Each structure stands twice: as structure tokens, then as C-alpha cells.
Amino acid sequence: WTSASIMALTVSCLLGVGMSYFAFLCRKLVSAAAFTVIGNCCKIATVIINLLIWDQHANPTGLACLSLCLACAYFYKQAPLRKDMKSEPL
């Protein structure tokens, strides 16, 4: 353990706690759907920044899988509510 590694770990922990706090704060202020959209936008922004800054990033297969997951999330709809079973004759 060096002082630089301890400092990096401490900063990482503080940033993680801060992100969690603001995520809970944001979740309290917006709807669940808006929070999901914000989360997906953050994922896309993170991937784009990763592609622009670093040399070692996701390969095309990984990017295609991420795109598929985001497309599925876009087309997801909540299942319709069931009708009351007692009111319908069998």
C-alpha cells in the first residue's frame, strides 16, 4: 500500500458515495421512467467518452450488445393490468 494508492481508493469511495447520494436525490425528484432515461443517457455518454479518451475500450461486439440492450429498453412496455377474475364468467 502506497500513499498514492490509498488516496486513489479514498477518492474513489468518496465519489461513489456522492454518486449514490445524488442518485437517490434524483430518484426522489423525478418519475421512475425519467430516472431510467437519465440512467440510459449516462451509459451512452460514458461509452462515448471512453471511446474518445482511452485506447482500450469495448470491442464492436460489446458495443453491439450494449446497443441491443438499450434498444430493448426503449421498446419495453409494462404489461397490461389483468381484469378481475371474479367478474368474468368461466
Side-chain angles (χ1 to χ4, degrees):
W1 291 89
T2 64
S3 60
S5 65
I6 292 172
M7 181 61 95
L9 179 63
T10 303
V11 169
S12 176
C13 289
L14 291 174
L15 289 174
V17 169
M19 287 172 50
S20 296
Y21 171 77
F22 285 110
F24 280 116
L25 183 66
C26 179
R27 176 61 193 97
K28 190 167 49 170
L29 297 175
V30 299
S31 68
F35 187 74
T36 302
V37 169
I38 292 168
N40 287 336
C41 290
C42 288
K43 286 179 182 70
I44 292 170
T46 301
V47 170
I48 291 171
I49 291 170
N50 187 7
L51 288 171
L52 295 175
I53 294 178
W54 289 287
D55 292 334
Q56 295 180 353
H57 46 74
N59 59 17
T61 304
L63 294 174
C65 291
L66 176 64
S67 299
L68 176 66
C69 290
L70 291 174
C72 290
Y74 174 77
F75 289 110
Y76 173 78
K77 289 185 180 179
Q78 185 174 356
L81 296 175
R82 293 184 189 177
K83 293 181 180 177
D84 190 15
M85 298 294 287
K86 294 180 182 179
S87 64
E88 292 183 15
L90 296 174

